[in-house]
């Protein structure tokens, strides 16, 4: 039961853009990082506990793979939902729908994948 509460608490702080170490400082400069267009601007350290977010050069290359996984999962989910509204199993009109979802979700995916990456390796020190 304690693990479930801890996991819910971690997810809460992850979606609130909080530091994985102290849960008080923000990772991104924006107030609402998931609803912002453009490339994310991050703090280098937590303003509260001075936890370093980018451990080494190229640290976020792994987050690109997570971003790819999120995009593929969203594309498959979009296909599954859109398929309900068409008679054929694969209608060519589904492709633009998937493309729009990918473009709309790109900004969210970049930020969320970076946050996931930071939370996964919060105990790692370079």
């Amino acid at each position: 039961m304690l693990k479930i509460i801890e996991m819910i608490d971690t997810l809460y702080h992850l979606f609130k853009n909080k530091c994985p170490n102290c849960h008080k400082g923000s990772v991104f400069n924006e107030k609402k990082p998931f609803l912002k267009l453009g490339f994310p601007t991050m703090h280098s350290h937590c303003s509260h506990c001075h936890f370093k977010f980018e451990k080494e050069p190229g640290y976020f290359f792994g987050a690109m793979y997570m971003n790819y996984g999120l995009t593929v999962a969203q594309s498959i989910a979009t296909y599954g939902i859109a398929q309900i509204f068409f008679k054929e199993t694969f209608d060519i009109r589904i492709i633009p729908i998937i493309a729009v979802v990918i473009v709309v979700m790109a900004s969210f995916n970049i930020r969320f994948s970076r946050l996931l990456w930071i939370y996964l390796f919060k105990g790692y020190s370079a």
Side-chain angles (χ1 to χ4, degrees), residues 11-26:
L11 285 173
Y12 173 77
H13 292 296
L14 182 108
F15 281 107
K16 293 293 281 182
N17 179 34
K18 297 299 179 188
C19 171
N21 193 38
C22 68
H23 302 297
K24 293 184 179 154
S26 295

Side-chain angles (χ1 to χ4, degrees), residues 66-84:
M66 296 187 86
N67 186 356
Y68 176 74
L70 285 170
T71 303
V72 168
Q74 290 164 353
S75 299
I76 291 170
T78 303
Y79 170 75
I81 293 168
Q83 172 187 326
I84 298 169

